[in-house]
Amino acid sequence: MLNKRLISKVIGSLLLLEAVFMTLCVASALFYHSADLLPFILSTAITAVAGVGLLRFGIGAPTTMSRRDAYVVVTLTWISFSIFGSLPYLFGGFFGHISLLRPTSMWNVTTDAFFETMSGFTTTGASMLNDVEAQLEHHQAMLFWRSLSQWIGGLGIVFFTIAILPSMVGNSMKVFSAEATGPIRSKMHPRLSSTAMRIWWVYIVLTIGCGICYALAGMDGFSAINYAMTTTATGGFSIHNDSITHFHAPAIEYIAIIFQYLSGINFSMLFMVAVMRRIKWGKEWRNSLKEFSRNERSKWHDFLHNEEWRFYTLLVVASSLVIAVILIFHNGYPLEEALRKSTFHVVSMMTTTGIFSDHVGTWPHITWMLLYALMFIGACSGSTTGGFKSSRALMVLKLIRNEFIHMMHPRAVLPIKLNGKAIPSSLVHSLMASFAVYILACLGTMALMMAANHDVTNSAIISISCISNVGLSLSELGPDMTWSSLPIYLKWVCTALMLLGRLEIFNVLILFTTPFWKDN
């Protein structure tokens, strides 16, 4: 049976953390004299009360958490965070006002608010706001909340709790496994909370560095903070309608390229490379220096020879060059601009950030197909990005290669290796099952879209964009269209796809299987 008290305790503690984050928005509203002060005060109070109530129900709960409890905790946490995170939108009337006399208006408003919030926490970045600057004018707190929600969800809501409140999550490795993305986990510290803290420090340093660079490149302080959070979270929410192009600054585009690319690398690897071993100065300082150099060379060797990182980097460089050549000869772009625009959009799509610095709808259709493929593949596992993940794509390619070899040599034993280590057959089977379900989910969404009389282009964009957590603007490719124009049932389908893509499909779908709920 489920450990209901422990689940209540964990979710309650997380809701209290969400209330703390909402107080930052209250402070922002006070500082900027924003018009959305009252909605955030009410939302903070309700979230805090709900958190305290769940914590009280969980008093005395046993600390042992089963794998079943972990899957339920993670899924319910993301749903709960999105429910309470949508309260500021509802109280502020940003998607319309709820009328008890008109039940349809209540359904429409709550759907849009929940969609926007889930899009934020899953770092998808698809927005129901067609004109952000007009609809959120003088609402700096709400703009900040949209960016903050993506930053919170960047590395995972429960993962954040493991770092800050490790005692609240019993058997935290099971919880981490239920939320972590990618098929292969990097080496972990014996205490998972220590690993979580290290990765969060990398995340914080990247965010601060990105914000400082944006400010030095000409952004005002508020814009720099918001764009830094959405860039490092690879989310894509913007405080301007035209996103990065609002600033008309190539320097800002280059900064976005660098930090999106870094955010697409496994954070454990970034930590290993960034942290230097201390030299022990004393009688044996020479030996310490030799050991220091040997240790650093080993870390750089592991990083530079990591197959997933090399595959990710190769795709970014090769795709950028191909699109740049097409833009030069087909669209007449200058060399520097072609390289900058192509690299920006390749990195944006592959890291599933989904921001734009040019109108891609004017590009040749072959570039669209290449960007679609990059959206589907995604960057490295263990990063803030979505998508199928580069490690999985690399394993599929190796599996295809081995199949050709096996046709010529039927008795050959051909294990799938990644970074010199053989991948267990059980993991390969899981990989192919994930790939199959991933494709089926995309095709199913496309079928629903086309049944609602949407064209093939937008149907493909919506399905890949949601499950890969990209959330790019639908008006950028194909006919002019917005997310708010979707029928209500498709909005809920897209919301579910966002959650499936962020938490790994099987981790959510297992809750809907009969064996999961059997006692044995």
Side-chain angles (χ1 to χ4, degrees), residues 439-506:
I439 296 294
L440 289 174
C442 289
L443 293 176
T445 306
M446 286 183 62
L448 289 174
M449 288 295 302
M450 288 187 284
N453 296 322
H454 292 290
D455 59 89
V456 177
T457 300
N458 275 319
S459 298
I461 292 174
I462 289 172
S463 59
I464 300 175
S465 182
C466 287
I467 201 166
S468 296
N469 303 128
V470 181
L472 55 90
S473 173
L474 299 183
S475 61
E476 292 292 342
L477 302 175
D480 188 16
M481 179 181 174
T482 61
W483 290 95
S484 61
S485 65
L486 295 176
I488 289 182
Y489 76 92
L490 282 180
K491 292 177 183 177
W492 284 105
V493 170
C494 291
T495 303
L497 273 184
M498 294 177 199
L499 185 63
L500 288 172
R502 179 58 185 83
L503 294 182
E504 301 291 318
I505 293 179
F506 282 111

Side-chain angles (χ1 to χ4, degrees), residues 240 345 391 460 475:
H240 301 103
H345 291 90
S391 55
S475 61

Side-chain angles (χ1 to χ4, degrees), residues 314-325:
L314 176 64
L315 283 180
V316 168
V317 173
S319 302
S320 300
L321 291 176
V322 169
I323 294 179
V325 171

Side-chain angles (χ1 to χ4, degrees), residues 40-55:
F40 274 103
I41 291 177
L42 291 174
S43 302
T44 303
I46 292 173
T47 305
V49 169
V52 171
L54 289 172
L55 274 176

Side-chain angles (χ1 to χ4, degrees), residues 65-135:
M65 179 176 287
S66 66
R67 185 171 296 276
R68 185 188 317 189
D69 295 332
Y71 286 123
V72 173
V73 160
V74 169
T75 303
L76 285 183
T77 293
W78 283 79
I79 294 175
S80 301
F81 245 65
S82 297
I83 290 173
F84 287 92
S86 65
L87 293 179
Y89 295 105
L90 296 175
F91 292 140
F94 295 104
F95 298 108
H97 295 282
I98 297 175
S99 174
L100 296 178
L101 300 177
R102 296 172 55 200
T104 55
S105 70
M106 181 185 301
W107 183 241
N108 291 335
V109 171
T110 53
T111 296
D112 290 352
F114 188 77
F115 181 101
E116 189 83 7
T117 311
M118 182 65 77
S119 178
F121 284 122
T122 58
T123 69
T124 304
S127 180
M128 288 290 160
L129 299 170
N130 299 328
D131 190 343
V132 174
E133 294 181 41
Q135 292 175 266

Side-chain angles (χ1 to χ4, degrees), residues 11 31 88-89 102 107 118 144 149 193 204 213 248 273 333 360 391 424 429 509 511:
I11 295 178
F31 182 80
Y89 295 105
R102 296 172 55 200
W107 183 241
M118 182 65 77
F144 182 73
S149 65
S193 58
I204 292 171
C213 291
H248 303 288
V273 172
Y333 279 51
V360 184
S391 55
H429 295 157
L509 292 182
L511 301 182

Side-chain angles (χ1 to χ4, degrees), residues 170-203:
N171 291 354
S172 55
M173 182 59 78
K174 293 179 180 178
V175 181
F176 168 76
S177 299
E179 186 181 50
T181 59
I184 303 220
R185 319 282 189 242
S186 300
K187 288 183 179 179
M188 293 288 173
H189 189 276
R191 290 180 58 199
L192 182 59
S193 58
S194 299
T195 300
M197 281 300 298
R198 292 173 179 179
I199 291 175
W200 269 97
W201 273 116
V202 174
Y203 193 38

